[in-house]
Amino acid sequence: MKYLPLIWSGLWRKPGRTVLIFLQVSVAFALFGVLQGLKTGVAHAVSAARADLLIVHSRLSFIAQSLPAGLLEQIRTVPGVKVAVPVELFGATYQKPTERIGGVAVDPVADWPSAFTYTIAPAYVAAFSKSRTAMLIRDLVAEKYGWKIGDHIPLTLSVPQKDGSTTWAFDVVGTFSDTDIGGGRYIVIVSLPYFDEARLTGKGSLNHFNIALTDPKLAAPVADRIDQRFANSSHETKTESLRELAQSSMQMIGDFDFLIHAVVGAVLVALLFATTTMMIQSIHERTPELAVLKTVGFTDGAVLLLVLAEALLVFLAGASFGLLLATLSLPVAARFVPGLSMPGVVLVIGFALGSAVALISASVPALLAARLRIATALGGHGAA
Amino acid sequence: MSFTRQFLALLAMSLAGIPRRVGSVLTILIGVSCAVGVLVSMLAMSSGAHSQALGNVSDDRVVITSLGARGIESSIPREEADTIRNLPGLKIGSDGKPMVVLQSIVPIEGRRRPAGTRGFFGLIGVTDSPLRDSQPEMRFTEGRMFRPGLHELTVNNPCVRQFTGFAIGDRRAIGGAGWTVVGHFDQGDAQQCVVVTDAETLMSTFKSNTYTQAVATLQSQAAYASLRQALEADPSLHLEVRHEREAMEEGIKQLNALLNFAAYFIGSIMAAGATLGAVNSLYSIVDSRRREIATLRAIGFGSAPVGAAVLSESVALALPGAALGAFLAWALFNRMAVSPFGFSFHLIVTSRQAAIGVAWALAMGLIGGLLPALRAARLPVTAALRAT
């Protein structure tokens, strides 16, 4: 600790240089923080996805294949199933073809919200089940379009009504929020019995069933039992938890890791080079000072440690600042990529990397400083 | 001495001094090449995605979908499909019928190579119009076209590379039926896996009564307006027509916007880092040449040429960095296959992206050189000469 002033004065010998290195390290670690935050944030979101909420969909594919509504009875009677909710998905637009909204039609059976990731006030749930044309809107939808409870909203759906018209109207009865990352930002919930009755095509077919369990531990056996019931039928099912679905959609993002590693690698290589050169330059300029230190009794090892400590200090300060910037920017980025976060492990990795790069880039200059011979250095031959 | 002569003499001196300042020079070179390399590689993603998605687009083809629907949301009932064939402006094929291919598209889950992860490919059922007429870019490399009614699949070569189970003769169970792969084809440079079969067989397997979309060939590009008018004039039709280019662009728009954003976001952060490194290096170069510069000023060199020479040196070091970065991007990543978000394409490094990289390097060189150039130009001559 008593050497701190010495390290400090070494750093501020050329303030411009130190500040520039500090900024360069900050920039590098801000980028590292954002990229790594993206990666771990996504991984974190996957593990946070509910494993106790099951989705029964067609074995063929989750998105495009429908299941007959008649499967409900057989699903509901599987031991361990608390609530089974038929769900149909549809696409809608509001006013302009570019204003796209995801539609979820659910059968408002008792306690249906427990089979979803949505948070809905009980009063809204009650209002939703009372009216056939009721619609619940996600808070983001309310924010974007300014819809209020009681509003009568015309939407253009991809499914025509019985009279052939694709314009539908729903009454807003409440709002909800959603914690799931895969559900889409702009979604509305309407009543399935009304939707199914009023549509021209596709009557009686559903996209999937949502299931809440009596006991979260039963997820795997319940899923197996449901799929067994429909095995070798014309409607083979695949039952997966939300977490499993999230995992497979993460796999679809692709070579994410490779990209991040490549970019972070390039950043660190450039940083390593820049700081090594700067440190060597600095040691050259300070040759006489270092020689004086040795003259007054500092050992080679002490000088080595002194130089390493300087590098560590700048790097850790820069890395902290950069990671702080990244943390501050994540809430903004999370608006575009849902589920972003900066778990502590990213900070730990960041500081570890920062220390490693500091020690590597300072090793050559530190060795140069340690090997300095007093006589030559003070003789002025080593001075830059 | 004129400005130009002084400037050239100074620049020659700075460049001649490069071997003595390897560290600082390499810092600029490597910093810039890393930033440009990352920028160019990431731009190569969006350009690859764009060029390969639009590579087979033909200006005389249009896509007809149900009104307001995008992708597989679209559904066209059989009755409406029949009216599409009677629309005006359609080209007549070699079989004497209007060139309309009705498509029924079902996304099917497959296993991706090499890790066996889940991925989707489009199984496209097409009606029996001669595909050779409407899709002349389709080129068989092995096997043959599917035969209607036989549960046969014809797949493009990207499927064979990306997914398991697409070799000729392989059987796949889809929708409770067994399907045999009978042919491989290439379609321009498209990298998205496409599996083609007969529409009726596919629709009966999936008990579907609606097509997803129709791809029609126009007599001429001018026929688009009359076709569009005819669709809008009939209130019983819930259809919308778009140029194939427009439909394809819409499909890839979001991905492209994301990739471009990522490229410029990461690229500009790295460029900022490289610029900071350049500033530092140039400062130290200027500092190490204080006496030299002061001497030059004392014998009559002006401050403007001194500053300009430092700025030019900065640019002169950044440009080879850009060239190196763009070359590395090309050498390492050109034609690398990637599949983000279910889209498959090759990275394509073009001269346009290399030019963008060079422009960025120019900016890094100029911005990075600015402050050091000012310091060199303003060097107090007497103080610098007295300094040890």
Side-chain angles (χ1 to χ4, degrees):
Chain A
M1 267 302 119
K2 68 176 173 183
Y3 295 123
L4 206 57
L6 205 54
I7 297 170
W8 193 250
S9 63
L11 282 178
W12 293 110
R13 192 179 176 278
K14 280 223 165 170
R17 173 179 291 160
T18 306
V19 167
L20 282 170
I21 294 185
F22 167 80
L23 284 179
Q24 220 180 337
V25 175
S26 309
V27 165
F29 278 90
L31 186 58
F32 164 83
V34 168
L35 291 179
Q36 200 70 31
L38 208 70
K39 185 183 152 196
T40 35
V42 165
H44 186 72
V46 168
S47 58
R50 285 174 61 177
D52 61 330
L53 216 152
L54 298 182
I55 308 281
V56 185
H57 61 85
S58 163
R59 180 143 220 108
L60 291 162
S61 98
F62 176 60
I63 15 183
Q65 279 313 302
S66 55
L67 290 172
L71 303 190
L72 179 63
E73 270 322 298
Q74 292 180 71
I75 293 173
R76 192 154 43 202
T77 50
V78 169
V81 172
K82 188 171 75 170
V83 188
V85 187
V87 182
E88 172 73 328
L89 303 177
F90 58 90
T93 59
Y94 177 58
Q95 291 180 336
K96 280 188 288 185
T98 50
E99 298 299 307
R100 301 167 70 72
I101 295 170
V104 184
V106 304
D107 193 348
V109 295
D111 204 17
W112 67 269
S114 67
F116 290 83
T117 52
Y118 311 137
T119 312
I120 319 174
Y124 296 154
V125 176
F128 180 70
S129 58
K130 278 197 197 89
S131 155
R132 288 164 54 78
T133 57
M135 172 165 76
L136 293 168
I137 58 175
R138 186 166 176 191
D139 41 13
L140 297 171
V141 175
E143 225 171 87
K144 185 174 182 193
Y145 298 111
W147 299 346
K148 289 186 181 53
I149 293 172
D151 283 357
H152 191 66
I153 305 293
L155 293 176
T156 305
L157 265 59
S158 51
V159 194
Q161 297 206 47
K162 267 187 264 183
D163 62 3
S165 156
T166 51
T167 307
W168 296 60
F170 297 99
D171 300 300
V172 179
V173 297
T175 58
F176 65 93
S177 57
D178 189 6
T179 52
D180 189 43
I181 53 161
R185 288 170 65 78
Y186 303 110
I187 44 174
V188 298
I189 306 174
V190 303
S191 169
L192 180 62
Y194 165 67
F195 177 78
D196 194 48
E197 191 198 303
R199 65 176 160 176
L200 179 66
T201 53
K203 265 185 211 308
S205 67
L206 296 170
N207 191 278
H208 60 266
F209 295 87
N210 268 38
I211 290 176
L213 300 166
T214 49
D215 180 352
K217 286 196 284 291
L218 291 174
V222 167
D224 286 345
R225 199 158 308 156
I226 292 175
D227 290 344
Q228 272 164 23
R229 282 208 174 174
F230 304 109
N232 301 317
S233 78
S234 57
H235 304 288
E236 286 195 291
T237 61
K238 178 154 184 167
T239 305
E240 295 176 282
S241 70
L242 267 191
R243 185 179 299 170
E244 285 166 316
L245 278 169
Q247 267 157 0
S248 57
S249 45
M250 282 312 114
Q251 289 178 351
M252 290 195 46
I253 288 183
D255 316 317
F256 207 48
D257 284 4
F258 172 73
L259 183 85
I260 290 179
H261 291 155
V263 172
V264 170
V267 170
L268 292 184
V269 165
L271 188 65
L272 197 66
F273 237 90
T275 45
T276 308
T277 344
M278 280 305 119
M279 297 275 305
I280 291 178
Q281 186 81 29
S282 165
I283 296 303
H284 268 299
E285 287 169 13
R286 284 156 55 189
T287 303
E289 292 153 51
L290 293 170
V292 169
L293 282 182
K294 289 196 177 179
T295 314
V296 299
F298 276 78
T299 61
D300 288 358
V303 171
L304 182 104
L305 287 179
L306 216 56
V307 175
L308 289 181
E310 268 180 39
L312 260 183
L313 198 63
V314 180
F315 264 77
L316 290 182
S320 316
F321 186 63
L323 290 171
L324 178 74
L325 282 183
T327 314
L328 292 179
S329 73
L330 276 191
V332 184
R335 292 182 43 185
F336 304 103
V337 187
L340 277 188
S341 63
M342 177 76 80
V345 60
V346 175
L347 302 180
V348 173
I349 298 175
F351 285 122
L353 265 181
S355 314
V357 177
L359 292 179
I360 295 171
S361 65
S363 58
V364 175
L367 278 176
L368 284 180
R371 287 192 187 150
L372 213 66
R373 286 174 53 203
I374 302 174
T376 25
L378 283 181
H381 304 291
Chain B
M1 273 195 286
S2 71
F3 173 87
T4 327
R5 281 186 58 196
Q6 290 188 1
F7 166 71
L8 289 177
L10 286 164
L11 190 60
M13 268 178 80
S14 329
L15 297 183
I18 285 180
R20 271 180 285 127
R21 295 187 291 272
V22 180
S24 306
V25 168
L26 277 183
T27 301
I28 301 179
L29 205 72
I30 290 180
V32 170
S33 57
C34 282
V36 169
V38 167
L39 177 72
V40 170
S41 328
M42 294 197 60
L43 285 176
M45 274 183 134
S46 72
S47 88
H50 193 258
S51 73
Q52 283 148 46
L54 268 67
N56 294 319
V57 161
S58 162
D59 284 331
D60 58 2
R61 279 199 298 252
V62 294
V63 177
I64 299 170
T65 55
S66 55
L67 199 60
R70 290 294 175 264
I72 49 165
E73 279 170 27
S74 170
S75 95
I76 302 178
R78 283 178 192 272
E79 316 83 69
E80 291 195 21
D82 290 337
T83 57
I84 291 177
R85 290 205 179 86
N86 299 322
L87 287 168
L90 299 178
K91 195 169 173 179
I92 305 297
S94 57
D95 58 349
K97 291 188 206 148
M99 282 166 61
V100 174
V101 179
L102 290 157
Q103 301 184 331
S104 169
I105 306 178
V106 184
I108 301 288
E109 203 179 300
R111 294 280 151 207
R112 274 192 176 279
R113 292 174 193 273
T117 52
R118 214 185 219 194
F120 287 91
F121 58 85
L123 176 54
I124 306 182
V126 295
T127 49
D128 57 352
S129 149
L131 274 178
R132 238 167 294 118
D133 288 3
S134 56
Q135 311 221 305
E137 67 275 10
M138 206 165 154
R139 195 157 288 120
F140 273 85
T141 55
E142 206 184 346
R144 54 172 173 84
M145 187 59 102
F146 63 85
R147 277 185 302 232
L150 286 181
H151 292 92
E152 290 182 340
L153 303 174
T154 305
V155 309
N156 67 354
N157 285 310
C159 294
V160 186
R161 289 194 291 270
Q162 292 162 15
F163 289 92
T164 56
F166 278 122
I168 300 275
D170 275 359
R171 284 178 65 78
R172 301 184 74 101
I174 299 173
W179 302 70
T180 313
V181 179
V182 297
H184 290 169
F185 66 92
D186 265 322
Q187 208 165 7
D189 198 23
Q191 298 300 327
Q192 195 72 19
C193 170
V194 167
V195 181
V196 191
T197 187
D198 160 45
E200 290 310 314
T201 315
L202 182 64
M203 285 160 76
S204 72
T205 306
F206 284 99
K207 298 176 185 65
S208 157
N209 225 354
T210 58
Y211 297 101
T212 311
Q213 61 179 26
V215 177
T217 310
L218 301 174
Q219 282 163 5
S220 67
Q221 289 181 46
Y224 179 76
S226 62
L227 180 69
R228 188 176 185 127
Q229 242 166 21
L231 276 184
E232 282 166 3
D234 189 344
S236 68
L237 292 178
H238 300 99
L239 299 176
E240 111 180 76
V241 61
R242 285 174 299 157
H243 284 294
E244 193 179 32
R245 174 177 305 277
E246 202 186 327
M248 289 299 205
E249 251 167 8
E250 219 165 48
I252 201 92
K253 197 172 64 181
Q254 247 187 328
L255 177 73
N256 251 322
L258 182 76
L259 293 177
N260 273 327
F261 171 77
Y264 284 113
F265 176 75
I266 296 177
S268 45
I269 294 183
M270 290 196 65
T275 308
L276 289 170
V279 173
N280 228 350
S281 304
L282 289 164
Y283 266 142
S284 79
I285 291 178
V286 169
D287 281 353
S288 68
R289 293 177 53 202
R290 277 170 74 85
R291 284 166 86 176
E292 185 187 328
I293 292 172
T295 313
L296 289 166
R297 292 290 314 281
I299 62 169
F301 278 77
S303 67
V306 166
V310 171
L311 205 55
S312 310
E313 186 184 357
S314 161
V315 172
L317 293 176
L319 289 183
L324 180 65
F327 170 77
L328 284 178
W330 176 80
L332 293 175
F333 301 123
N334 196 32
R335 299 208 64 78
M336 186 173 96
V338 291
S339 307
F341 304 103
F343 292 88
S344 295
F345 52 86
H346 284 160
L347 271 69
I348 301 288
V349 177
T350 63
S351 51
R352 193 177 155 268
Q353 288 136 18
I356 294 177
V358 170
W360 277 55
L362 206 62
M364 286 181 240
L366 284 176
I367 298 171
L370 205 60
L371 289 176
L374 278 177
R375 177 183 284 188
R378 288 185 181 161
L379 198 73
V381 178
T382 42
L385 278 178
R386 274 195 211 105
T388 52

